[in-house]
Amino acid sequence: QVRLVESGGGLVQAGGSLRLSCAASGSIFSTMAWYRQAPGKQRELVADITRGGTTNYADSVKGRFAISRDIPRNTVHLQMNSLEPEDTAVYYCNARKVINVEGSLRDYWGQGTQVTVSS
């Protein structure tokens, strides 16, 4: 059974830092990612990372956030620096798995962790 458990959210002042972690279990994943959803907005991709270490970031977080992955421990981290009030959201860990030889994908989600940045 696949399980994703996030940790590290909280309340921080603007300009501060937080580090989110996601521990995955139950499978091997191709890409892992962090998404976020602010009140009244759609869920959006923050950053993702492949098994090979290729990363991708939303324009709004480039230069401030860094995603990393520990393959043996099946964990993914998001280091968030220079946080802004606009970064306030629930952050979700995502893991993507190839489920058949045709390359079909299945997404798994964590329960979410709240990040609040005060001005």
Side-chain angles (χ1 to χ4, degrees), residues 42-99:
Q42 290 188 331
R43 189 173 298 189
E44 63 175 358
L45 175 68
V46 176
D48 61 29
I49 183 167
T50 67
R51 286 187 64 83
T54 300
T55 58
N56 174 54
Y57 294 93
D59 288 342
S60 59
V61 307
K62 283 181 181 176
R64 300 188 298 123
F65 290 11
I67 190 170
S68 61
R69 185 172 178 178
D70 186 332
I71 299 290
R73 290 185 169 86
N74 219 2
T75 58
V76 64
H77 307 282
L78 185 68
Q79 179 65 43
M80 305 186 292
N81 300 324
S82 303
L83 282 161
E84 304 167 352
E86 293 72 23
D87 295 316
T88 295
V90 178
Y91 284 69
Y92 295 92
C93 178
N94 167 271
R96 179 163 288 178
K97 177 183 175 181
V98 179
I99 59 172

Side-chain angles (χ1 to χ4, degrees), residues 10-36:
L11 172 64
V12 65
Q13 288 188 331
S17 298
L18 283 174
R19 179 178 170 87
L20 304 183
S21 296
C22 173
S25 60
S27 190
I28 297 172
F29 304 101
S30 56
T31 299
M32 297 188 75
W34 288 95
Y35 285 72
R36 67 185 180 187

